[in-house]
Amino acid sequence: MSSPTALVQKLWNYCNILRDDGLSYGDYVEQLTFLLFLKMADEQSRPPFNKTSLIPKSKGWPALLAREGDELEVHYRHTLEELGKKPGMLGVIFRKAQNKIQDPAKLRRLIVDLIDKEQWSALSADVKGDAYEGLLQKNAEDVRGGAGQYFTPRALIAAIVDAIAPQPGQTICDPACGTGGFLLAAHDYLAKQPGLDKSQKKRLKSGTFFGIELVDSVTRLCAMNLLLHGIGGESEEDLPVVTKDALAGKHGEYDVVLANPPFGKKSSVTFVTDVGETKKDSLTVSRDDFWASTSNKQLNFLQHIFTILKQHGRAAVVLPDNVLFEGGAGETIRRELLKQADVHTLLRLPTGIFYAQGVKANVLFFDRKPAQQKPWTQKLWIYDLRTNLHFTLKENTLKRGDLDDFVGCYFGGKASKAGTAAARHQRKESERFKAFTYEELIKRDKVNLDIFWLKDEALEESANLPAPEIIAAEIAADLEAALEQFNTIAEDLK
């Protein structure tokens, strides 16, 4: 069996059996990750690979196959505990790992019937990688699990990477990498470039991609996702993704930064007072290399991304609407960014494309530049993919083709992506694509970049109204976004 879809279906069908035991989709994907890693490490230690296994013999795949019943459950638990204490890639995959499959018979069936039957190392990186990516997508669709917040629509990621057009030899970072979508899309883009030499191909495996993730369990999924696609794992120290708070400080400088920082407006910590009351304290990030101190997470990520870009480095960041219009620190940051970077493109995204409800978002493209007196931004080109466009997660999903016009406009209507900066200077305005000069932007109240010009047909004529379920979904999205803002204000006033 070699089709990713068939593989996903096979693995997923078994998940439904385990759901009866109270296992969530996320738990299931995590257990599959542990077992897949053990099985592949065993395969790699045998011919034709003959690699030295990182896993102690007593904790390897054959030791699991040899056991059943309670003995299997106990051995598996001890295996996870021991491997979680190891350094390097083992530590990333198994850190704080726990067995969530309490029924030994079902655990045995998962090991023997599902994982052991497949020669995973013999499958191409595309097949096993796409199968795992398929599982992550299904996990994201499970609304109750909340995993959707780590999942950016793959069609959007592909269009962003096509626009950024990374080049071989450049370093690429995602400081809020989730399950690794941006890094994988950049890898696919580079791997398809014609004429890559041996050393360039080797660099795609190690030394090109760098991910930072705050949550252990998500780092684990990302590391496995990258590993199955052939990134990282070449040596014990070769870690393409690490768990840490990216906002705590600079963690390097990169040629390209691609990111969709977590939604949720404020950074805060919950604590219990002396009298037993639970309170939230806003976490304001103060860094010497930031333009403004704020507890707004997205504004902090925007500043952070500027600091980790090399001179002339390029960034594409998914940001909610509030980053475009919020006053105070928001205004300061927008002014400085327009001055110190070439902020050249803004893509207004449609609603209904993210698993997190009520999200109105954009993609901001900018290049870091050396210090100079004159502002670097000359024109901000805005593409409106939101007005009169309606997408949903199930019936009318966003496809890569829906972004063809944007990518074409980005490159000045040129099919060739050679010399992206040069192509940008030949852009032409269209109904959805308009340019605004630096002078026009700076005159706007609070340097507000929340700009629209198309008429909303739904407001003009009732005959043009979208389907009732789309209207209902958009009203719900607006209400949820408003409610989140009110909750933030209420928390701040406590």
Side-chain angles (χ1 to χ4, degrees):
M1 178 174 62
S2 58
S3 136
T5 320
L7 212 48
V8 169
Q9 208 45 56
K10 183 180 175 186
L11 293 168
W12 208 246
N13 287 344
Y14 192 65
C15 175
N16 293 327
I17 297 169
L18 292 170
R19 293 275 287 171
D20 298 338
D21 290 0
L23 208 71
S24 73
Y25 288 125
D27 290 339
Y28 178 59
V29 174
E30 199 170 58
Q31 299 303 310
L32 276 180
T33 301
F34 303 145
L35 294 170
L36 272 177
F37 190 90
L38 291 169
K39 172 71 161 76
M40 284 175 64
D42 181 58
E43 289 172 359
Q44 298 277 326
S45 69
R46 301 171 188 275
F49 308 103
N50 297 319
K51 289 185 181 175
T52 308
S53 179
L54 301 170
I55 292 163
K57 205 167 183 181
S58 64
K59 299 291 181 257
W61 187 250
L64 277 178
L65 282 177
R67 290 169 167 80
E68 52 185 270
D70 289 342
E71 189 191 357
L72 169 64
E73 197 275 327
V74 170
H75 179 78
Y76 179 50
R77 190 155 33 87
H78 288 323
T79 299
L80 296 181
E81 280 170 17
E82 187 173 322
L83 297 180
K85 292 170 189 164
K86 301 278 183 193
M89 185 59 104
L90 277 180
V92 170
I93 298 279
F94 292 98
R95 191 172 171 205
K96 297 180 186 170
Q98 292 178 322
N99 172 28
K100 301 278 178 70
I101 306 170
Q102 303 307 327
D103 182 341
K106 286 177 179 166
L107 176 61
R108 169 112 183 127
R109 193 177 152 194
L110 181 59
I111 291 167
V112 176
D113 293 350
L114 274 167
I115 311 267
D116 196 56
K117 287 269 165 68
E118 200 73 58
Q119 281 298 309
W120 297 88
S121 299
L123 296 172
S124 76
D126 282 350
V127 172
K128 59 179 178 268
D130 289 353
Y132 193 74
E133 181 82 343
L135 285 176
L136 292 176
Q137 175 136 12
K138 278 187 173 288
N139 184 32
E141 287 165 8
D142 177 28
V143 181
R144 287 160 302 173
Q149 64 179 306
Y150 304 111
F151 204 88
T152 310
R154 290 329 188 215
L156 175 61
I157 287 179
I160 291 171
V161 170
D162 284 346
I164 284 284
Q167 299 303 304
Q170 292 184 331
T171 49
I172 300 164
C173 175
D174 182 347
C177 66
T179 51
F182 274 115
L183 299 177
L184 285 177
H187 175 269
D188 290 349
Y189 182 94
L190 288 166
K192 286 175 188 154
Q193 297 301 305
L196 289 180
D197 62 35
K198 201 172 176 184
S199 73
Q200 286 174 322
K201 284 179 182 170
K202 195 173 177 194
R203 269 207 73 176
L204 284 185
K205 283 178 172 286
S206 173
T208 293
F209 303 101
F210 302 89
I212 313 287
E213 172 53 48
L214 186 61
V215 181
D216 268 325
S217 57
V218 181
T219 308
R220 182 184 349 271
L221 299 179
C222 180
M224 192 67 192
N225 203 8
L226 296 176
L227 203 60
L228 290 173
H229 283 85
I231 304 167
E234 291 294 292
S235 70
E236 184 67 356
E237 290 72 42
D238 181 21
L239 295 177
V241 56
V242 294
T243 303
K244 67 172 164 187
D245 180 1
L247 295 177
K250 227 168 134 172
H251 44 75
E253 286 190 353
Y254 311 92
D255 297 298
V256 173
V257 176
L258 305 165
N260 177 6
F263 294 131
K265 208 168 156 215
K266 298 280 182 183
S267 300
S268 62
V269 61
T270 303
F271 64 96
V272 180
T273 64
D274 295 340
V275 291
E277 288 178 346
T278 303
K279 287 199 170 181
K280 275 196 173 179
D281 199 7
S282 288
L283 288 179
T284 300
V285 176
S286 297
R287 273 174 49 181
D288 294 342
D289 53 353
F290 276 15
W291 300 308
S293 297
T294 173
S295 59
N296 180 315
K297 215 182 287 182
Q298 283 87 18
L299 286 173
N300 283 328
F301 263 105
L302 183 55
Q303 295 183 91
H304 175 66
I305 286 164
F306 178 83
T307 69
I308 61 171
L309 280 174
K310 289 180 180 176
Q311 294 293 359
H312 306 288
R314 299 172 298 131
V317 195
V318 181
L319 297 164
D321 280 8
N322 70 67
V323 169
L324 303 182
F325 60 73
E326 195 167 288
E331 181 183 348
T332 305
I333 291 162
R334 287 190 295 278
R335 279 185 193 280
E336 290 300 328
L337 192 66
L338 290 169
K339 265 192 227 160
Q340 298 187 37
D342 179 6
V343 185
H344 53 81
T345 314
L346 177 67
L347 168 63
R348 311 299 313 259
L349 294 173
T351 54
I353 64 169
F354 291 99
Y355 289 103
Q357 289 295 305
V359 169
K360 288 190 170 179
N362 315 269
V363 187
L364 193 66
F365 295 81
F366 60 91
D367 303 349
R368 181 170 181 167
K369 297 292 183 184
Q372 69 167 22
Q373 286 296 108
K374 205 174 124 201
W376 275 103
T377 302
Q378 293 178 328
K379 274 184 186 174
L380 171 63
W381 288 80
I382 302 179
Y383 189 97
D384 181 357
L385 192 68
R386 189 181 302 174
T387 310
N388 302 323
L389 293 170
H390 305 279
F391 293 93
T392 59
L393 284 173
K394 292 196 174 155
E395 289 78 26
N396 184 27
T397 54
L398 181 77
K399 297 174 185 64
R400 174 61 187 82
D402 296 316
L403 291 141
D404 280 350
D405 186 57
F406 163 70
V407 176
C409 287
Y410 186 97
F411 289 111
K414 299 274 185 298
S416 162
K417 299 181 180 71
T420 57
R424 284 211 310 266
H425 295 304
Q426 294 158 19
R427 289 175 170 180
K428 295 177 183 68
E429 290 198 345
S430 68
E431 184 192 16
R432 290 196 175 270
F433 198 44
K434 291 268 184 276
F436 298 85
T437 64
Y438 175 79
E439 289 71 27
E440 287 174 305
L441 298 172
I442 220 76
K443 278 180 195 160
R444 290 175 60 83
D445 182 41
K446 296 180 185 169
V447 196
N448 184 339
L449 304 181
D450 189 27
I451 303 170
F452 287 101
W453 58 92
L454 291 173
K455 280 188 176 164
D456 192 330
E457 288 168 6
L459 300 175
E460 300 289 305
E461 199 182 323
S462 58
N464 290 323
L465 285 171
E469 62 272 18
I470 290 175
I471 296 173
E474 288 183 354
I475 290 170
D478 283 343
L479 288 171
E480 284 184 20
L483 187 61
E484 189 192 338
Q485 288 183 336
F486 278 125
N487 282 335
T488 303
I489 293 164
E491 288 293 344
D492 286 350
L493 292 173
K494 279 182 184 174

